Structures are given as structure tokens and as C-alpha cells.
Amino acid sequence: DLGIMDDDDEYELPLPSDLLFEAPIFSIDFHPSTDIIAAGLVTGSMEIHRYRDLLESSINNNNNNNDGDDDEKLLFTDLVHEGACNSVKFNEDGNFLFSAGADQALKALDVNSLRLCYDMPDAHPTSIMCLATLGSTIFSGDEDGCVKLWDTRQRTSIASFHQHSEYITGILPLDDQWLLCTAADGALSVWNMKKNKLHDMSDTNSDEYLCVVPLYENSRFVVGSAEGVLNIYKWGTWDQPVDKFQGHPGSVDCMIVVDDKTVLTGSSDGLIRVVQIKPNKMLGVVGEHDDFPIERMCLSHDSTYLATSSHDDTVKFWDIRYLFEDDGDDDEEGEGDEEDEDGENVWDEGEDADEIEDEEEDDDEDAEPVAKKGSSSKRPKRDAEQDDKDEDEDLDDLDSDDDSDDSDDPSDKKKRKAKDAKKKNNKGKGKEKEKTRPKPKGFWADI
């Protein structure tokens, strides 16, 4: 029994206490639907904890003593890798927990039975640094700059991309076609998985790239760096960032997306900051790990808690529900959009997205990616829809003028017919069916 809270529970849960480990933490990840968190340690151990004690007796502060509570929260611990466990990642339905380590192995744990169900030794020729998942595909990046794709149904590697000269620091699959990677060589690569080839790559920078997150429905990408600079790239303009935001005194090692233009950053100075992108500004601080650098962050399945890990060998929890509450800021955001249109508009820099779509209309495989379903990042689709709306209004005005004109001039009748035909052709324009990525399929369902 994992002690999962039902959605109907109305009582307010306390902030989870810190999780203290016996060794440095290299990776953490929340389960996508239940109140458990996994951690990979430098010793090669992997642990799974229930981070909220949901027993009603504890919530109501009764007289039960709390002895052994730490053991009760620990659901799994085992030495999984020979060497550091560099990355842990739940798959999208939460049935499996993948891990990768310095022993070059890729492994999977069945979360329901808490048994190791898959072991791929020598998955990479060097230490595996990070993992990502999308549908039935696992992505792994190693110390030499190579990224491999694994089909969990075939249990084998289906592609290998090697363009970076240093270790992979971030893997961001956008959909079943597009993949972005960052590396310590200071470059951002964009891969077309359908064609199994490099689509584009940024110029190499002297500053190490450490992480990447998407904004504005996958049209902007924020890359954190070792020098504390947030590099902002635009889809279709990959050689150099279209904007940079300097403000972190130390490296930006990890980021979490909050909404359309807001991210949480974890920095080497120990602070968790709330940062707005375009206009670029610091909005506040969520918390800190004293003077210890924040190396990993993850968001709980219900967007209630942020978990962070640091060199103090602890995982801390932060209640960030206030960041996702709707407090009537829509009007303010609208005013901000107007300001941007008069001054610095987020759509003005670099190559225009509509131009990209026009150029790639004949080749759907090169089309700009559509944001994942359920993504909190919402790019305003105002250009084409607003043009159609304005054009329809103009046509309505013209029709109104024609109706009030009693002239029987044949030329007027021809004009009216032409306007009616144009209006009919424009009806339904711009309402193309939205692309969605395939639903995830089972992971090693036969085991």
C-alpha cells in the first residue's frame, strides 16, 4: 500500500519533512500520479520514498507516536548500479522506474512489484549521464556526447545520435519527431527522429549548457548555463540565442516550467528563483539550501510540491501551489502583451514562426512541433485567427453596404457575387486539425 490520497480528501496536508540520505544525491524524480519520489545516489543505490504520510491518525495529530516513521516512508532501497546512479526517471504511466549509471547500464524497476525487470548492461560505451521518456521511447545521453533511443517494446536501441563533443546535460523530447539536447560543449542540438538525422545545431559557446526547457508552445527554449546566463532560442533560429538574461550569480543547473513565460531556476548559490521570460525579470525566491548548490528539481504530479536536492544530502519540499493559482492576473497579462506589441514583442525576434510554417508547408516532417497535450505553456495563436476575423468583419461591412444599395448596375452584382464567393472560401480557414503525439503504449507489458 503506497498510501495514496484520494482527490476527494479535503484536509490540508502538512509540508513533507526533508528526506535525509546517507550519500550525495545525483538524481530525483516524482511519480506521475502517486505521492512517491525516487532518488539515485552516488553509491549506486536507488531509493523510493512516500513523501507524504497520509494516515488519517497522523493528519489529525492523534496520540500515535512517530517512531519508525522514516522506515515507513521508505518503500524501496537497493544497490542497483556499480558506481553512481546518475539518473532516475519514471515512465509516463508510472509503472516503471528507469535508472542509468556510471556502470554504463540501463535498468528498469517494476514499481508495482518493486522488482528489477530489465537490465541492459553496456547500453553505452561510457557513463550514462541523463534520461528522458516519451511514450514507448527511452532517451539516454552519455559522457561522450552520444544520445541513444530505446524502444521498450523491442527492448533494443533504435537510433543513436552523436554530434556533441562533451557529456550530455539535458534531453528534451518535444513529440515523436523532434528532440533537443544540451551538452557541456556549449551547444544545443535539434534532431529529427523521423529522419534519424541532425536537423540543426547552435554555434558552440564557451559557456557550458546545463539544462533546457520549452516555453510558448515549443516556440521558445530557455537554456541554463554554467555562467548563470539564460540563453533564449527561437524555433527556426538556432545558430545563436535571440535573447539572453543575465542575473544569476552562479550556474543554472536545473529548471522547471511554471507557465507560458515563467520558470523556476535552481542555481549554484543555493537559491530557487522565480524568473519571467520576456520581459525578463526576477519575480522572487521560493527558498534555499543554505549555501549548497541546487542540482536537481522536479515537480509533483499535482503541482503542489517542488522537490530539490543539493550537496547537503537532503531532498527538500516546497509548497508552490500559489504559483499555479488563478488570482485574476489575466488582465495584467493582457496589458503586458499590449506593452510588448508597442515595444519589445516576443514574436519580433529572429525568424517569424508563420514564415517557418509557410516554408515547411510542403514538408510536414519539418513542421514546427506542437506542444504536448496538457502543457501549461500556451502560445497565443493570434496572427492567423485575428486576420481571418478582421477579414470576415470587413466582408460583413461590405455586404451591409451592398444590401443598402438599391442599384441594379450589373457591375455591382458581379462585385457582390465575388465578395460572397471570397467569404465562402474563407469560411473555416485556419482551423486545421491540431497535431497530437501518439498515446503512450505499454512498457514491457509481457513481464
Side-chain angles (χ1 to χ4, degrees):
D1 181 8
L2 300 184
I4 307 307
M5 181 184 72
D6 294 332
D7 292 335
D8 296 334
D9 291 347
E10 296 181 354
Y11 49 77
E12 182 177 354
L13 294 173
L15 189 67
S17 57
D18 296 347
L19 290 175
L20 179 61
F21 294 84
E22 297 180 354
I25 307 158
F26 272 22
S27 181
I28 55 175
D29 193 37
F30 276 114
H31 190 277
S33 61
T34 63
D35 301 328
I36 60 177
I37 187 171
L41 308 182
V42 68
T43 58
S45 294
M46 184 170 66
E47 297 187 9
I48 302 177
H49 292 258
R50 183 175 64 241
Y51 59 87
R52 295 197 285 199
D53 187 356
L54 300 177
L55 297 176
E56 187 173 354
S57 58
S58 297
I59 296 299
N60 293 331
N61 295 319
N62 64 7
N63 294 327
N64 291 351
N65 66 60
N66 292 323
D67 293 342
D69 186 57
D70 290 340
D71 292 336
E72 190 175 291
K73 289 181 179 179
L74 180 61
L75 303 176
F76 173 86
T77 181
D78 196 6
L79 187 64
V80 178
H81 292 275
E82 297 178 4
C85 180
N86 291 329
S87 185
V88 293
K89 190 71 177 177
F90 286 101
N91 72 320
E92 292 183 349
D93 61 16
N95 288 329
F96 295 92
L97 174 62
F98 296 95
S99 66
D103 57 359
Q104 309 164 18
L106 175 64
K107 302 187 179 186
L109 181 79
D110 186 316
V111 175
N112 296 308
S113 65
L114 297 179
R115 288 183 179 181
L116 191 66
C117 62
Y118 185 73
D119 185 358
M120 173 64 77
D122 300 322
H124 282 254
T126 60
S127 175
I128 305 175
M129 305 303 293
C130 55
L131 295 175
T133 63
L134 179 68
S136 60
T137 306
I138 307 300
F139 305 83
S140 57
D142 69 20
E143 195 173 27
D144 282 346
C146 178
V147 176
K148 285 190 176 183
L149 282 60
W150 305 84
D151 189 331
T152 57
R153 297 163 299 186
Q154 301 177 22
R155 308 186 192 183
T156 184
S157 175
I158 56 176
S160 180
F161 303 143
H162 198 171
Q163 194 70 29
H164 293 280
S165 59
E166 295 287 344
Y167 66 93
I168 301 297
T169 58
I171 302 175
L172 177 62
L174 301 179
D175 52 25
D176 61 354
Q177 179 175 0
W178 298 109
L179 175 70
L180 274 65
C181 300
T182 55
D185 57 9
L188 171 68
S189 60
V190 185
W191 298 89
N192 188 326
M193 293 184 286
K194 288 186 176 179
K195 295 182 177 181
N196 280 339
K197 70 176 186 179
L198 180 70
H199 175 73
D200 212 333
M201 191 168 185
S202 73
D203 295 340
T204 301
N205 297 276
S206 59
D207 191 8
E208 293 183 5
Y209 281 178
L210 302 178
C211 53
V212 57
V213 294
L215 292 180
Y216 294 103
E217 282 196 346
N218 297 338
S219 72
R220 295 295 189 278
F221 302 93
V222 183
V223 179
S225 69
E227 294 181 1
V229 178
L230 297 182
N231 300 273
I232 304 168
Y233 285 86
K234 180 176 180 178
W235 181 266
T237 307
W238 300 111
D239 53 342
Q240 289 291 334
V242 295
D243 195 9
K244 292 187 177 184
F245 182 23
Q246 301 180 2
H248 293 79
S251 62
V252 178
D253 298 310
C254 47
M255 290 186 290
I256 294 289
V257 174
V258 175
D259 60 27
D260 198 25
K261 55 184 178 181
T262 311
V263 297
L264 298 174
T265 61
S267 180
S268 59
D269 66 350
L271 293 182
I272 310 162
R273 294 177 174 85
V274 186
V275 180
Q276 178 178 292
I277 303 298
K278 206 64 179 177
N280 302 336
K281 60 181 178 180
M282 298 286 187
L283 299 181
V285 174
V286 172
E288 63 178 334
H289 271 261
D290 297 325
D291 294 329
F292 296 101
I294 295 175
E295 296 194 329
R296 295 291 181 267
M297 297 196 304
C298 56
L299 185 64
S300 66
H301 65 92
D302 54 3
S303 299
T304 296
Y305 297 121
L306 175 75
T308 59
S309 64
S310 183
H311 288 177
D312 55 2
D313 301 344
T314 63
V315 171
K316 292 181 179 292
F317 297 89
W318 314 90
D319 189 341
I320 57 170
R321 284 174 290 184
Y322 63 91
L323 293 176
F324 297 92
E325 291 174 353
D326 184 5
D327 53 3
D329 289 342
D330 293 340
D331 293 337
E332 295 180 7
E333 286 180 300
E335 293 173 3
D337 290 341
E338 292 176 5
E339 275 185 16
D340 288 343
E341 290 172 3
D342 293 336
E344 298 181 355
N345 193 306
V346 295
W347 313 113
D348 288 343
E349 296 176 353
E351 187 179 359
D352 186 78
D354 293 331
E355 294 178 4
I356 298 172
E357 292 171 359
D358 291 340
E359 292 172 1
E360 300 174 344
E361 189 174 4
D362 296 332
D363 187 3
D364 183 60
E365 289 187 350
D366 291 334
E368 183 176 347
V370 177
K372 296 179 183 179
K373 183 178 179 181
S375 172
S376 60
S377 177
K378 298 179 180 178
R379 175 186 175 190
K381 301 178 180 178
R382 53 190 175 194
D383 298 334
E385 294 178 2
Q386 188 63 38
D387 290 344
D388 295 339
K389 183 178 178 182
D390 293 342
E391 189 173 12
D392 289 340
E393 290 176 355
D394 292 340
L395 290 168
D396 290 337
D397 293 340
L398 289 171
D399 288 341
S400 177
D401 292 341
D402 289 337
D403 293 339
S404 63
D405 190 353
D406 296 332
S407 173
D408 293 330
D409 192 327
S411 62
D412 291 339
K413 293 181 180 179
K414 290 181 179 180
K415 291 179 181 178
R416 283 196 294 271
K417 289 182 179 179
K419 292 166 189 171
D420 291 340
K422 185 175 182 180
K423 187 173 182 179
K424 184 177 181 180
N425 290 334
N426 285 333
K427 186 175 181 181
K429 181 181 179 182
K431 296 181 180 179
E432 298 177 358
K433 186 177 180 181
E434 183 182 11
K435 300 177 184 177
T436 57
R437 58 178 172 79
K439 292 184 178 179
K441 298 183 179 180
F443 287 71
W444 292 309
D446 57 329
I447 293 182

